[in-house]
């Protein structure tokens, strides 16, 4: 009975690691953090994903992506926790 419980636990951990981070970058004209009518998605923003390592370790770049024209992005990180940075181009 114990072997079956351990196998089930390992399968759940494997599934949790393969989850996806999705989001939307948009112009937040009223700075409330919620997209509303008249606040369009923003494309061509570089989104970087870093391992959020405890100090004194340094965070490592896990990968990056660029937002689509509607501001959407997604990433499948190899591990958690993840720190996200956005680089907004001039203009």
């Amino acid at each position: 009975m114990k072997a079956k419980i351990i196998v089930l636990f390992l399968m759940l951990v494997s599934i949790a690691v393969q989850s996806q981070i999705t989001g939307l970058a948009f112009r937040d004209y009223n700075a409330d953090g919620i997209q509303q009518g008249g606040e369009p998605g923003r494309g061509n923003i570089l989104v970087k994903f870093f391992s959020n390592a405890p100090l004194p370790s340094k965070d490592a770049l896990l990968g990056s992506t660029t937002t689509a024209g509607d501001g959407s992005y997604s990433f499948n990180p190899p591990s958690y926790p993840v720190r996200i940075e956005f680089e907004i181009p001039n203009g």
Side-chain angles (χ1 to χ4, degrees), residues 46-53 58-65 75 77-79 81-87:
L46 180 61
V47 186
K48 294 180 180 179
F49 301 89
F50 295 88
S51 64
N52 196 12
K58 294 190 177 193
D59 296 349
L61 180 66
L62 299 173
S64 64
T65 189
F75 182 72
S79 62
V82 175
R83 179 173 55 86
I84 303 173
E85 290 184 5
F86 298 85
E87 286 188 19

Side-chain angles (χ1 to χ4, degrees), residues 22 24 62 74 91:
T22 61
L24 183 68
L62 299 173
S74 64

Side-chain angles (χ1 to χ4, degrees), residues 19-87:
S19 58
Q20 184 177 54
I21 297 173
T22 61
L24 183 68
F26 60 95
R27 290 195 179 270
D28 191 8
Y29 292 122
N30 61 359
D32 67 352
I34 301 169
Q35 186 181 25
Q36 299 163 357
E39 295 180 334
R42 181 88 192 267
N44 201 33
I45 294 178
L46 180 61
V47 186
K48 294 180 180 179
F49 301 89
F50 295 88
S51 64
N52 196 12
L55 293 173
S57 299
K58 294 190 177 193
D59 296 349
L61 180 66
L62 299 173
S64 64
T65 189
T66 304
T67 58
D70 65 353
S72 63
Y73 65 89
S74 64
F75 182 72
N76 294 316
S79 62
Y80 285 92
V82 175
R83 179 173 55 86
I84 303 173
E85 290 184 5
F86 298 85
E87 286 188 19

